[in-house]
Amino acid sequence: MKLSYTLKFAESLIFPKTERKSIARRSLFGAMLCIGLSIIPLVVVTSICNGMIDGMTERIIGLSSSHIQAFVAPNISKVKTAEAFVEYAKKAKECRGVKNVYPEVQISALAAGKNGRTGIELRAVERDIFEKNASFKKLFDVCEGELVDFAEIAAGGGVTSLPPAIIGQKMSSDMNLHSGDTLRVITTRAFGDRIIPKLTSYRIAAVVSSGYQELDQFWVFVPIESAYKSLSMESASYNIMIETADAFSPELVAIQKRLDDFFGRYANVYRWDQIHTAEFENFSSTKVMLVFVMMLIVLVATVNISSAIVMLVMERQKEIAILKSIGAKPSGITFAFLLAAVSCGAGGIILGVPIGIILTVFSNQIVHGLERLMNLFSAFGGGGQVHLMDPAYYLAEIPVEIPANQIILIVVAVLLLSVIVSFIPAKKAGKEKPLDILRNV
């Protein structure tokens, strides 16, 4: 049986010219529809997972640890004053591969506001970090106030004697603190056998949000000079956030080694993937599980192709017998039915992939529309506000990312599954004996 005849027979299986009703053909198109519907959530979940994980990763790296972080020993002379620490950090720029450095002092403290107290992670940074650091500039959205007030007041050009502070949106909401209000920070210092609290007041210059509440809900930014001047530094940790050209570059390990040599025994140097190992393992395992569940749905959908091919073989037994009686080979018959199965899978791909991509591109609009609709019904029922993308657990906005490589992998997987599940009935069709078929007609 020539290939052209096999292709013609396969075409007749999918698009028969007869007007008679065909249950097998309906089953074949039903299977194609099921595959298309199962591919849609797989594409959406894969794309959104990639976007969410990349968005969270970008914020964790850019706002928390940078590409490399050096933990400086607390008892050396290089951290005794703000000026000495900043100068010491700047020397690290001499290492090849280092693009920028951001010295930072971190202190665990207690913050008091209008609605009680909460533990905070106080981050003493350079006054121009929100302008100088590209990640800070890009990823922080200003909800209240002005970031320029943080730099100007820290430089001595403000209208108040209180040093400035920048807090997160979550803290602002929980403690009813807003731009211009006073934030009281309580730190502790040892005096002999006693622990003495130290109270320092700050004026809130701005309220910001990174869009990922779990990351920034306890952060309070203050100028590094004021931290040295007015806070208890006994429990402080001294860190240098080091930025390179690319956080994912293979060169990062070599840069880490050079920084290790530069700091020597005065600091421990770690890459971002060493600091945040647990978070990224959690992201990866979650993504794998979601994709695995979606692939199981696709597998169940492709099984429908097998039953449709079985019915198609039963309907076309007479044609199979005629073809074999005039010299058609079993392999040609089998190949024709496999082509019908692959065409069914391809039809599902053509249906599902574009719809999945469209839903991904407009995912934020769809989510916001559903939120408005649910809040409308909730308002009639006396319920509270509904947030489908609660920044306490997710990013406030879904970063749209179409993973071309993974979509190609999905397409290949669906086509392979279509062949695998239909191989047995297609093989059986090729082994049919024409005489037995014609006797039973």
Side-chain angles (χ1 to χ4, degrees):
M1 189 174 182
K2 293 182 179 180
L3 179 60
S4 57
Y5 296 151
T6 301
L7 295 175
K8 199 70 176 177
F9 180 49
E11 181 186 356
S12 70
L13 294 176
I14 304 168
F15 305 107
K17 294 181 180 180
T18 58
E19 296 298 327
R20 62 173 184 154
K21 294 181 180 180
S22 172
I23 298 175
R25 188 187 176 199
R26 290 180 180 178
S27 298
L28 204 61
F29 279 94
M32 182 185 72
L33 182 63
C34 288
I35 291 171
L37 293 176
S38 66
I39 288 175
I40 293 172
L42 179 58
V43 171
V44 172
V45 166
T46 303
S47 302
I48 288 179
C49 273
N50 279 350
M52 293 290 283
I53 290 173
D54 288 349
M56 291 176 182
T57 301
E58 183 182 21
R59 283 159 176 79
I60 289 173
I61 296 173
L63 305 180
S64 179
S65 65
S66 198
H67 304 173
I68 298 174
Q69 191 166 5
F71 297 87
V72 182
N75 298 320
I76 62 175
S77 61
K78 296 173 176 62
V79 300
K80 293 302 180 183
T81 65
E83 294 77 10
F85 183 38
V86 171
E87 286 302 317
Y88 180 57
K90 287 181 179 178
K91 289 181 180 179
K93 292 180 70 174
E94 298 172 5
C95 290
R96 183 162 51 88
V98 175
K99 184 179 177 183
N100 218 329
V101 295
Y102 309 102
E104 178 179 317
V105 179
Q106 293 184 359
I107 304 173
S108 295
L110 190 67
K114 298 176 183 177
N115 288 354
R117 300 177 178 180
T118 184
I120 62 170
E121 182 182 345
L122 193 143
R123 301 179 63 180
V125 296
E126 293 180 284
R127 64 174 185 259
D128 59 349
I129 191 169
F130 286 89
E131 184 64 29
K132 182 172 66 173
N133 188 316
S135 295
F136 276 55
K137 189 175 182 179
K138 172 187 174 184
L139 300 175
F140 274 124
D141 291 325
V142 180
C143 306
E144 294 181 29
E146 296 289 341
L147 293 178
V148 68
D149 292 344
F150 183 78
E152 287 181 353
I153 297 173
V159 295
T160 177
S161 59
L162 291 180
I166 293 177
I167 65 173
Q169 187 179 29
K170 172 66 174 174
M171 186 180 299
S172 170
S173 174
D174 289 348
M175 301 182 69
N176 191 24
L177 291 171
H178 304 281
S179 175
D181 290 346
T182 299
L183 173 71
R184 295 183 297 278
V185 174
I186 303 169
T187 53
T188 60
R189 59 190 177 92
F191 188 78
D193 295 332
R194 293 181 299 168
I195 302 296
I196 300 175
K198 181 176 176 59
L199 179 66
T200 307
S201 295
Y202 288 90
R203 176 182 176 273
I204 298 175
V207 177
V208 299
S209 172
S210 69
Y212 185 24
Q213 185 176 293
E214 185 177 339
L215 184 67
D216 63 22
Q217 60 182 325
F218 299 116
W219 287 349
V220 174
F221 295 94
V222 300
I224 194 169
E225 299 90 346
S226 68
Y228 271 89
K229 187 181 298 183
S230 56
L231 293 174
S232 172
M233 306 292 283
E234 290 187 1
S235 60
S237 62
Y238 303 87
N239 309 323
I240 302 174
M241 297 167 62
I242 299 166
E243 184 182 6
T244 65
D246 183 7
F248 299 92
S249 171
E251 182 68 14
L252 204 63
V253 176
I255 298 172
Q256 179 192 19
K257 180 65 172 62
R258 288 195 286 271
L259 287 166
D260 260 327
D261 295 337
F262 169 78
F263 287 110
R265 59 189 178 90
Y266 295 118
N268 294 318
V269 182
Y270 299 97
R271 300 187 310 275
W272 66 267
D273 55 328
Q274 294 173 315
I275 299 171
H276 303 292
T277 301
E279 291 94 327
F280 296 110
E281 285 183 353
N282 182 40
F283 291 160
S284 298
S285 60
T286 301
K287 178 183 174 181
V288 168
M289 286 303 299
L290 284 171
V291 173
F292 176 71
V293 171
M294 293 297 103
M295 282 303 298
L296 286 179
I297 296 173
V298 174
L299 176 61
V300 172
T302 55
V303 170
N304 291 328
I305 297 179
S306 178
S307 59
I309 294 297
V310 169
M311 297 180 68
L312 197 61
V313 170
M314 294 175 64
E315 275 193 359
R316 298 303 183 96
Q317 280 187 330
K318 188 175 181 180
E319 294 177 33
I320 294 170
I322 294 171
L323 287 171
K324 295 197 76 173
S325 64
I326 59 175
K329 293 183 179 179
S331 59
I333 301 294
T334 299
F335 186 58
F337 281 98
L338 287 177
L339 283 177
V342 170
S343 299
C344 180
I349 291 168
I350 293 170
L351 174 67
V353 169
I355 295 176
I357 292 174
I358 291 170
L359 291 177
T360 300
V361 170
F362 294 99
S363 55
N364 284 300
Q365 292 87 336
I366 293 170
V367 169
H368 294 323
L370 289 174
E371 275 187 356
R372 285 193 290 269
L373 184 62
M374 293 176 70
N375 285 322
L376 182 64
F377 286 112
S378 180
F380 282 117
Q385 287 287 312
V386 177
H387 297 285
L388 295 180
M389 292 300 297
D390 193 336
Y393 311 103
Y394 311 102
L395 294 179
E397 291 286 326
I398 301 172
V400 176
E401 179 181 316
I402 307 299
N405 292 339
Q406 294 184 26
I407 290 178
I408 291 171
L409 186 62
I410 290 169
V411 168
V412 173
V414 170
L415 294 177
L416 285 176
L417 286 172
S418 301
V419 172
I420 291 169
V421 299
S422 60
F423 182 77
I424 293 176
K427 187 73 173 176
K428 185 178 178 182
K431 290 183 177 180
E432 292 280 3
K433 298 180 179 179
L435 291 177
D436 294 339
I437 295 172
L438 293 174
R439 285 195 193 101
N440 297 323
V441 174

